[in-house]
Amino acid sequence: MKTLTGSLFALSLGIAALAPAAQAAPNTLLVRALADPGRAAQRGTDARRHPAELVALADLKPGQRILDLIPGDGYWTRIFSRMVGPKGRVYAVWPQAYASEATGNVAQLRDIARAYDNVTVQVQPGAILTAPEPLDVVWTSDNYHDYNDKFMGKPGSLAFARSAYRILKPGGLFIVIDHSAAAGHGLADTETMHRIERAQVIREATTAGFRLVGESKALLNPADPLKIPVFDPKIRFHTSQFALKFQKPAR
């Protein structure tokens, strides 16, 4: 009996010792992605952009497919590329209306795609998202509000949320990061201040079929008055932002 009890105790210790390592594996993957030498020029913005906290929302694993919408200079794209690895795929996507305003960024991403073999750059003709295969994650950082604006043709952010839902696998994740508007403002500030109310995004994503399953408050800034444009020098690069994690229900 003592021998059996001792063996069970030793086994329990072994399981306990293994548990932290299993839990740490995704974090180790993220740490390695953040240490990518290709990010050297962008690492200086990590302190304000909080990549560790935000990328953790996406639960990325090797081999997954993620769409990085309107990826700018590829800040998130590089991180995603290293996390999903050679068997994964990162789709860096612009709608044509936005690409016409960001030709320099599109060229940057095409250069990145030459260095990161698992990155595919797409300029899509319409504002409604498409994908060549079912996706694990759709990621949008500071662009959800744009779908309500004139330069995008005003397709509406609800239509965007619905298109994200369609191209995700069952159980797939929709990560929405955007500049906060004041309570009660809904869509009123998207054109003039580039802001959208958090509650509005939740209503639209829920209408599209998603469930809100997580959130990061890493980008909240109580000093942001929420009633000035995001490009105002008093607040630029320090706006209060929400980061929401939605999930498409499993079958």
Side-chain angles (χ1 to χ4, degrees):
M1 183 70 176
K2 287 182 180 179
T3 302
L4 178 59
T5 302
S7 299
L8 289 172
F9 179 70
L11 179 61
S12 68
L13 286 179
I15 293 171
L18 285 172
Q23 291 170 359
N27 291 333
T28 301
L29 185 64
L30 178 55
V31 167
R32 289 175 181 168
L34 293 177
D36 175 13
R39 299 187 62 249
Q42 297 176 322
R43 201 164 287 121
T45 64
D46 286 354
R48 67 173 175 82
R49 300 189 75 166
H50 297 274
E53 296 95 322
L54 298 182
V55 174
L57 286 174
D59 298 334
L60 284 176
K61 301 174 183 65
Q64 288 190 322
R65 271 66 179 147
I66 179 170
L67 188 150
D68 185 7
L69 180 67
I70 310 176
D73 63 359
Y75 178 88
W76 300 109
T77 311
R78 287 183 172 92
I79 298 171
F80 298 155
S81 172
R82 293 307 187 202
M83 292 196 72
V84 301
K87 293 184 179 179
R89 178 62 49 184
V90 182
Y91 294 99
V93 174
W94 280 268
Q96 180 62 62
Y98 206 113
S100 298
E101 305 284 332
T103 54
N105 282 155
V106 176
Q108 274 183 300
L109 261 292
R110 287 185 171 136
D111 287 340
I112 289 172
R114 282 189 277 272
Y116 293 72
D117 292 342
N118 62 354
V119 173
T120 297
V121 178
Q122 295 181 338
V123 175
Q124 297 186 356
I128 301 304
L129 279 183
T130 61
E133 60 181 328
L135 303 175
D136 297 287
V137 181
V138 172
W139 175 284
T140 171
S141 177
D142 297 336
N143 301 119
Y144 187 95
H145 69 272
D146 287 321
Y147 280 76
N148 301 289
D149 296 349
K150 291 177 184 175
F151 84 100
M152 286 281 284
K154 291 190 170 184
S157 45
L158 175 56
F160 163 49
R162 284 176 167 152
S163 67
Y165 187 91
R166 282 194 298 272
I167 62 178
L168 281 165
K169 298 175 182 177
L173 299 176
F174 183 35
I175 309 299
V176 181
I177 303 165
D178 216 331
H179 306 284
S180 297
H185 280 224
L187 299 171
D189 301 333
T190 64
E191 190 86 60
T192 57
M193 298 186 193
H194 301 277
R195 296 177 180 270
I196 188 168
E197 188 183 356
R198 172 184 174 276
Q200 178 74 27
V201 176
I202 293 173
R203 281 193 295 270
E204 292 182 352
T206 302
T207 298
F210 290 104
R211 293 182 296 112
L212 179 65
V213 295
E215 180 171 11
S216 171
K217 298 184 178 181
L219 297 176
L220 293 184
N221 178 10
D224 182 357
L226 307 182
K227 295 182 180 180
I228 59 175
V230 301
F231 300 115
D232 188 304
K234 293 191 290 292
I235 201 66
R236 190 172 189 185
F237 302 129
H238 300 286
T239 58
S240 190
Q241 300 178 50
F242 52 82
L244 304 173
K245 176 181 182 176
F246 297 101
Q247 186 170 41
K248 179 175 179 174
R251 295 185 195 280

